[in-house]
Amino acid sequence: MLKSKTFVKKTRAGGVMKIVREHYLRDDIWCGSEICAECKQESAVLQTDASIESDLCSYPHYVIPDTNVVLHQIDVLEDPVIRNVIILQTVLQEVRHRSAPVYKRLKDIIHEQEKHFYTFTNEHHRETFIEREPGESANDSNDRAIRVAAKWYSQHLKKAESEADGLKVVLLTNDQGNKQKAEESGLLVYRFEEYIKSLLGNPELVDRLALSNDDKHDITSSKVLFPEHLHLSRIQAGIKSGTFLQGTFRASRDNYLEATVFVQGEGEDSTEVLIQGLQNLNRAVYQDLVAVQLLPRSQWVAPSSVVLQDEGAAKDDNEEDKEEEDEEKSLRISAAAEAARKPTGQIVGIIKRNWRPFCGMLNLSQIKESTRHLFTPADRRIPRIRIETRQASTLAGQRIMVAIDGWPKHSRYPNGHFVRSLGNAGDKETEQEVLLLEHDIPHQAFSQAVLSFLPKMPWAITPEDMGRREDLRLLTVCSVDPPGCTDIDDALHCRELDNGNLEVGVHIADVSHFIRPGNAMDKEAASRGTTVYLCGKRIDMVPELLSSNLCSLRSNVERLAFSCIWEMNHKAEIIKTRFTKSVIKSKASLTYAEAQMMIDDSTKNDDITKSLRGLNKLAKVLKRKRIEKGALTLSSLEVRFHIDSETHDPIDLQTKELMETNSMVEEFMLLANISVARKIYDEFPDCAMLRKHPAPPPSNYDILLKAAKSKDVEIHTDSAKALADSLDVARVDGFPYFNTLLRILATRCMMQAVYFCSGMDSDFHHYGLASAIYTHFTSPIRRYADIIVHRLLAVAIAADSTYPDLMDKQKQSALSINLNYRHKMSQYAQRASVAFHTQLFFKSRGILNEEGFVLFVRKNAIIVLIPKFGLEGTVFFDAKDKAGPNLHFDEEGPTLKVEQHTFHIFDMVKVTISLDASNIQHQKIRMSLIEPVISGVSVPAPDVEPLAKKPKLDR
């Protein structure tokens, strides 16, 4: 049966277009139930035995939730207890339009066979299709469609009741009007909350309920604490007229009464508006899209230097008012004294919430028998959340996840609900899970849909593959990587040609051969963006069969590669460049140390060693030329943990040593990346995926210039070359580590390098490498950007066919935004993993004394770098519970005078290092000053016991 659907749509030009769509109604849409003999379904989803222990529904039943139940109660629906649920097409489509994250979670549940969730296409079923009535709102029409489908199910299943022993259909809604109309139609209908509370065998589900609007007011006081948020239409009009600004809310980590709103202007321009005080922050949460109104210039303030953590015990709203007023006062006093005032504003409305489930811990209420408790998120930028739970005593000491439901104007804190427990705080597995969740790292196992696109094993290179590729299996190719590396992306060769020149090849794993555009594996890799390396764990971007086997360029096996081959003279000048898809057979998989030993061993003269020596010689020339052009050689201390093979705990911590071979590999990777960047930009000037590194604004260098000046060294920052040259000659007699410290500081001044699409930008320059153009080609196993670059290069040399998204600069630009986000989060997760393992290391060490250098000077503290461990920590000079020493901070230096001693940047100090585990959620490394000795400040050097026996190292 054919119906037509008509609707109108606004065109870009502002006109109105009428659209008529054909809508087919069918008789062969089945109900999905095992008990039904009438429907000719191949495999039923809904079970005959649909019983669940409930004091409302003592009979077997199927559940039909309406749209709002799915949108707000997805945490409950995901629980294994909730089974035999009918998801109507009307509900699925509305959820898809209103929330992409909830839609994805709902689709995942539907695919879980043991959940028995069945999708019923009610809008194409002859007996459940409804037409929208004149004057009926879309919402009312959808509610009616849900009631009609529920009615049909009730009647349809009645015919099969003899087998099902009184099986019924229950409609779940939180909408009072919908519930009333359903009852009038004779349907079995309950509020979602009352249904969940009736499940006697599963009381823990009640904790997961998102609060409905009726419940939200129970938890709040009658006193209005915050201004009303403006309606979206008022906000849009205000933004248009320029009264309000739209921006992203960025809460402060150090001060819960302060935040900034980042307002993106035209092109590269952007401004930051400072927000201070609870009223002005007005219930905005980190990363929300907000509307902000600037205050009159007379009310502008300076950012506060006060550190305020909102971590008092869980009290009543009214009890906290006085405390907060005092804190806000101290904030304003410090601000009033400053001259550096910034544009200051107040939040007038929320355009889009950016809430996610947050990891953290429960602060138990001081009131006995209370079910209301405060949850403290692990991320200090998120406010505490009030939740109701009956299992607080069980959850104390555990890491849990909580979602925010709302933040009424009467409530000091947002209201939320318990989602799930992650495990005991401090456990390695639990903390790793928190780290991944908090940094938004996709880490679930690859789905069957993704794995279905893997090649079937045993895999071998086919004659067709060989026919389309250059056979380079006889070349002396080898790979050089860190120890334990299994995802080998790159291999190299160097040989002398008959004409006296050298041929150098960089061979990169041909991942794009296995991952084809647009399939499930490609979409998953694009979403993940990068492989994430944590201490002792790797979260792959592509399944392990590819990353550690079929794509990995292991020795003595044939592998598909994408090769970049140069002819060079002995001055490392490029005579010819060519790119080809190839087949290689690596002759050796070496570590940096092994390769270095081969180069240095004068008795060795085999083909691999000759190749390595040739590469090393050319690499030194390439590096010298690069540095002459103005490339920066910066420094950051990378640490390496030695892990106990049985307990997997860190037992030794060292900074990584870099060898000549590290530099050798790096030089040829840089050269390949630059060569490929030029090629793909020449061929595709509008859609090449490139990478740029913006020059830092001059103000970024302030701290570097002050640090150098304090030691009478001059640094020039007007260009990358000027900076590189002045760093090269920066020396202080009797202070050999000075240059390294200066380079570490220079690294902190740099901007983040980013991916971009060439058709959407005009500035391509890479500041750090002093290169006019750059991209990433050499690591496709672990970076998705490289896969896109491989595809562009393959099209450029006619080795593969193109596809629409590859040539679409808007799509490429959107993709690069996601890749930049994933790379940034991956770096943060790696740092957090190093910090956690450093804490584990010091937990078993007690108190250590070490020498270090002052890296930064603050108003009440010095930040100290311990080179031996690559560790930074803070020595505070003020204590909350006792009178502190006399402090005088000079911003010009910057210097900090503590009693009679003055600290400068790069001063050598001796400190104790220990782990402060008093706050289990925010454990930190504590440092105390030993030398210089300052009366009332320094601590005596502790006796450090030697370790009883050297534990075995798993290297």
Side-chain angles (χ1 to χ4, degrees), residues 477-540:
V477 172
C478 66
S479 62
V480 185
D481 290 283
C485 177
T486 60
D487 50 345
I488 302 171
D489 285 290
D490 52 89
L492 299 152
H493 88 270
C494 174
R495 63 174 180 167
E496 196 149 335
L497 297 172
D498 295 341
N499 61 8
N501 287 334
L502 298 167
E503 178 188 85
V504 175
V506 165
H507 310 277
I508 305 298
D510 190 2
V511 181
S512 62
H513 172 86
F514 296 96
I515 300 182
R516 303 309 294 162
N519 69 23
M521 186 151 57
D522 183 45
K523 285 177 180 165
E524 182 66 24
S527 165
R528 293 186 178 217
T530 178
T531 291
V532 181
Y533 296 90
L534 305 179
C535 302
K537 187 180 173 79
R538 187 179 84 201
I539 291 129
D540 282 328

Side-chain angles (χ1 to χ4, degrees), residues 617-668:
K617 210 168 173 182
L618 289 170
K620 286 177 182 173
V621 182
L622 288 168
K623 186 171 185 176
R624 196 185 67 242
K625 283 186 183 173
R626 226 168 31 81
I627 288 168
E628 280 167 9
K629 265 176 64 187
L632 294 172
T633 313
L634 298 177
S635 183
S636 64
L637 292 178
E638 281 191 72
V639 296
R640 181 159 168 239
F641 293 96
H642 293 301
I643 305 288
D644 186 292
S645 55
E646 286 162 21
T647 64
H648 299 288
D649 284 337
I651 49 175
D652 198 7
L653 176 59
Q654 294 173 339
T655 48
K656 289 184 185 173
E657 274 183 69
L658 295 181
M659 305 181 188
E660 263 186 16
T661 43
N662 289 77
S663 177
M664 175 189 85
V665 173
E666 185 188 7
E667 286 308 318
F668 287 108

Side-chain angles (χ1 to χ4, degrees), residues 12 51 102 129 201 275 351 391 495 555 680 722 724 786 840 920 946:
R12 276 188 177 174
S51 301
V102 174
F129 169 75
I275 316 286
I351 298 164
Q391 43 179 339
R495 63 174 180 167
S555 55
I680 61 173
D786 303 53
L840 282 182
I920 192 162

